[in-house]
């Protein structure tokens, strides 16, 4: 359940015992009742297939919370796919899943390939990654209160990325690139998927050739702050990458880490994230929230969650 209500409350709505609700959720029993009390039409019984979401989560994330996040993505993929089919001029899907990278060096080339797929030059800063990804047919939805910065899944043939909206712009962009890597190259979580996704996102936003060309011989902290303003990547990520590429040695890396510690979580040069707009445009084009909810047979409150980047609250 997207709302995360207790089993006894759900049972009261559907006229079932908490034990029966538990058995249905666990797949041990089937439900053949009426979904109207939940705000859904009965033809929503059949759920679309979806890949197991991959995500960056906090250690404290609960199992029930992850289930709610998964169902939110599933609903987003359903709605987005149906609205895209019936909306003239809606973006076509330009990205397809590919083989997992053999090495980290492969990710550098793959990031450049994806830049081309997003219709961007091989070099230069990507000013609005959100817009490019949506124009490539990817569904972006907000997630709040679910203990993750981002998560992603293929819902049928629809790529869906959920993003925490209330984070700094640089973190939002890196998470978007990170989840894009999961969609394109990862089928399941392994010991290397997170590092690979970070490497891909870094190269997507700031190609290695550009990075090495703009990095001074002995970079100071102010140099990284300047690069952040030009490329939209956090100072912490830039320093980490300089160390990963052996542009700075261990000693210099530690010194910069100490200098950055004075900022805590408030780096200079912060900017607001660019949130997704495509879901809301599709809903408005098809008559607005109430009309789409009625036409698709989905809960209107749940539908509103898929486009509310400012005041979303999942309880």
């Amino acid at each position: 359940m997207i709302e995360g209500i207790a089993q006894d409350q759900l049972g009261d709505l559907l006229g079932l015992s908490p034990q029966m609700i538990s058995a249905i959720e666990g797949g041990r029993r089937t439900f053949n009742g009426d979904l109207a009390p939940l705000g859904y039409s009965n033809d929503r019984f059949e759920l679309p297939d979806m890949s197991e979401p991959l995500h960056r989560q906090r250690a404290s994330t609960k199992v029930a919370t992850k289930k709610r996040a998964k169902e939110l993505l599933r609903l987003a993929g359903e709605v987005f796919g149906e609205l895209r089919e019936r909306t003239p001029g809606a973006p076509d899907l330009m990205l397809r899943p590919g083989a997992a990278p053999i090495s980290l060096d492969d990710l550098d080339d793959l990031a450049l390939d994806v830049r081309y797929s997003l219709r961007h030059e091989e070099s230069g800063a990507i000013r609005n990654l959100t817009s490019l990804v949506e124009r490539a047919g990817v569904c972006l939805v907000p997630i709040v209160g679910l203990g993750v910065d981002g998560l992603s899944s293929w819902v049928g043939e629809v790529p869906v990325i959920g993003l925490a909206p209330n984070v700094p712009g640089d973190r939002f962009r890196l998470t978007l690139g990170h989840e894009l890597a999961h969609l394109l190259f990862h089928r399941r979580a392994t010991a290397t998927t997170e590092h690979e996704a970070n490497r891909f996102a870094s190269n997507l936003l700031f190609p290695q050739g550009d990075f090495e060309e703009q990095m001074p011989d002995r970079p100071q902290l102010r140099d990284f702050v300047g690069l952040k303003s030009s490329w939209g990547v956090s100072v912490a990520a830039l320093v980490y990458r300089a160390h990963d590429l052996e542009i700075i040695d261990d000693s210099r890396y530690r010194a910069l880490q100490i200098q950055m510690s004075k900022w805590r979580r408030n780096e200079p040069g912060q900017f607001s994230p660019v949130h997704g707009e495509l879901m809301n445009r599709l809903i408005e084009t098809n008559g607005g929230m109430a009309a789409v909810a009625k036409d698709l047979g989905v809960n209107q409150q749940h539908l509103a969650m898929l486009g509310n980047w400012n005041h979303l609250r999942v309880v």
Side-chain angles (χ1 to χ4, degrees):
M1 280 293 296
I2 293 171
E3 293 183 18
I5 62 177
Q7 288 182 345
D8 57 344
Q9 295 173 304
L10 182 58
D12 289 341
L13 288 172
L14 297 176
L16 300 172
S17 68
Q19 293 79 12
M20 178 62 76
I21 294 294
S22 178
I24 293 170
E25 289 182 340
R28 299 185 301 277
R29 300 291 296 272
T30 58
F31 175 66
N32 297 313
D34 187 5
L35 291 178
L38 301 181
Y40 288 86
S41 62
N42 288 336
D43 58 5
R44 289 289 163 186
F45 269 122
E46 188 173 343
L47 298 176
D49 293 333
M50 69 181 296
S51 62
E52 190 62 30
L54 296 177
H55 47 75
R56 303 171 69 186
Q57 70 181 58
R58 303 185 186 101
S60 58
T61 304
K62 298 178 180 179
V63 173
T65 301
K66 288 189 284 188
K67 287 183 178 179
R68 286 158 54 198
K70 179 177 180 178
E71 293 311 314
L72 183 66
L73 257 65
R74 193 196 304 271
L75 177 63
E78 278 190 278
V79 170
F80 185 88
E82 292 180 37
L83 292 181
R84 186 174 61 185
E85 287 182 3
R86 64 177 66 183
T87 306
D92 294 324
L93 181 58
M94 297 192 297
L95 299 173
R96 300 288 180 182
I102 298 174
S103 68
L104 290 177
D105 289 338
D106 287 342
L107 286 166
D108 303 341
D109 294 331
L110 290 170
L112 295 181
D113 291 342
V114 171
R115 275 181 159 244
Y116 284 129
S117 297
L118 295 175
R119 298 178 182 175
H120 196 280
E121 299 292 336
E122 178 178 329
S123 62
I126 296 176
R127 299 300 177 188
N128 190 340
L129 181 61
T130 301
S131 178
L132 288 183
V133 170
E134 287 196 318
R135 289 207 300 265
V138 179
C139 173
L140 302 182
V141 292
I143 52 171
V144 170
L146 298 180
V148 295
D149 276 354
L151 73 164
S152 53
S153 173
W154 286 90
V155 180
E157 297 296 318
V158 177
V160 184
I161 296 177
L163 297 159
N166 302 317
V167 298
D170 52 8
R171 182 169 159 187
F172 187 91
R173 282 161 56 87
L174 190 68
T175 300
L176 178 51
H178 181 104
E179 295 303 326
L180 196 58
H182 284 329
L183 282 176
L184 297 177
F185 310 122
H186 299 140
R187 303 294 172 270
R188 59 185 178 83
T190 69
T192 61
T193 50
E194 292 301 293
H195 184 56
E196 289 172 356
N198 284 332
R199 176 75 171 255
F200 170 87
S202 295
N203 276 283
L204 180 68
L205 292 169
F206 201 162
Q208 185 169 332
D210 289 327
F211 188 83
E212 293 175 341
E213 181 180 319
Q214 298 198 19
M215 189 63 57
D217 291 336
R218 185 173 173 78
Q220 305 297 311
L221 194 57
R222 62 176 177 271
D223 297 315
F224 290 102
V225 174
L227 289 173
K228 174 181 179 176
S229 65
S230 299
W231 293 85
V233 179
S234 73
V235 174
L238 293 170
V239 170
Y240 176 86
R241 189 172 182 199
H243 180 248
D244 192 42
L245 295 175
E246 299 182 352
I247 294 173
I248 59 175
D249 60 20
D250 293 346
S251 176
R252 185 67 187 142
Y253 180 63
R254 286 193 296 271
L256 289 168
Q257 291 279 3
I258 292 171
Q259 292 179 55
M260 288 190 296
S261 65
K262 64 185 178 185
W263 297 334
R264 298 185 182 273
R265 296 187 177 182
N266 297 312
E267 281 191 3
Q270 287 194 8
F271 56 92
S272 298
V274 178
H275 295 147
E277 299 179 348
L278 182 54
M279 178 67 84
N280 281 330
R281 289 205 305 269
L282 290 174
I283 290 173
E284 289 305 312
T285 300
N286 286 275
M289 201 68 65
V292 169
K294 182 179 180 180
D295 191 32
L296 298 185
V298 300
N299 183 300
Q300 185 173 336
Q301 183 179 10
H302 294 171
L303 180 66
M305 289 180 178
L306 305 181
N308 188 345
W309 292 88
N310 296 316
H311 304 290
L312 179 68
R313 180 172 180 263
V314 178
V315 295

